[in-house]
Amino acid sequence: MKDENFLKYLYKIGRIRKIRKNNILFYEGEKAKHFFILLQGKIRVYKYTKMNKEITLHYFKPFDFIAEMPAFKKINYPASAICEEEGKVLEINFIEFENLCNKNNEFNLILISSLLNKIKILEKKILQNSLRFENKITKIYFGK
């Protein structure tokens, strides 16, 4: 199945939502009943630390999947998402998507690919954080 056919089917089971700049797509802690495909614009996913500091986790660009993991695991959204510029998303009810995956294995491969991309994002964040920590330790002990 080609990507175009996949998107056409997702359009049938989803709904297009226009989002204005600075509007929230979802809040941390909300039940994840939907996931999204960004069609236009830029979405920023962020969290607050215990000390109320906002941390940006990732920026999404058009045709990225957003929040498929919490929808798949039937958990709450682990972070919030805000539209950084005028945009559109395809909002997909996960139960309908799950039914689709049960009928067509090619959809499963696309979902797995998206999840693997999320793992890469996490690996990059972990590496960045470990390098920052290493630099702080070096400065403390060696003054460099």
Side-chain angles (χ1 to χ4, degrees), residues 53-100:
K53 180 182 175 193
E54 187 177 288
I55 299 173
T56 297
L57 300 175
H58 189 64
Y59 287 94
F60 289 95
K61 62 188 182 324
F63 306 107
D64 283 343
F65 281 72
I66 302 171
E68 71 281 14
M69 183 276 297
F72 184 76
K73 292 184 75 177
K74 296 175 176 69
I75 61 173
N76 296 342
Y77 294 115
S80 299
I82 188 168
C83 194
E84 293 282 304
E85 54 191 49
E86 287 283 312
K88 283 189 214 174
V89 294
L90 182 62
E91 181 180 82
I92 300 164
N93 179 292
F94 192 75
I95 293 170
E96 291 183 41
F97 183 77
E98 195 171 33
N99 292 335
L100 172 64

Side-chain angles (χ1 to χ4, degrees), residues 24-32 36 44-50 52-57 67 70 75-82:
I24 300 295
L25 183 60
F26 54 82
Y27 287 99
E28 179 177 355
E30 272 184 81
K31 183 74 175 161
F36 309 87
R44 180 172 64 91
V45 174
Y46 65 94
K47 283 185 80 90
Y48 283 97
T49 65
K50 290 179 182 177
N52 213 27
K53 180 182 175 193
E54 187 177 288
I55 299 173
T56 297
L57 300 175
I75 61 173
N76 296 342
Y77 294 115
S80 299
I82 188 168

Side-chain angles (χ1 to χ4, degrees), residues 10-23:
L10 289 178
Y11 275 104
K12 289 179 186 175
I13 65 169
R15 73 178 181 104
I16 294 178
R17 247 176 84 182
K18 291 184 180 182
I19 305 174
R20 291 185 172 174
K21 183 178 181 176
N22 296 323
N23 279 11

Side-chain angles (χ1 to χ4, degrees), residues 55-58 118-135:
I55 299 173
T56 297
L57 300 175
H58 189 64
K118 299 295 188 309
I119 290 170
K120 285 166 97 177
I121 292 166
L122 288 172
E123 287 175 340
K124 184 178 176 183
K125 281 285 182 195
I126 290 168
L127 179 61
Q128 288 172 346
N129 288 339
S130 66
L131 290 174
R132 285 187 201 133
F133 181 73
E134 188 177 298
N135 287 339

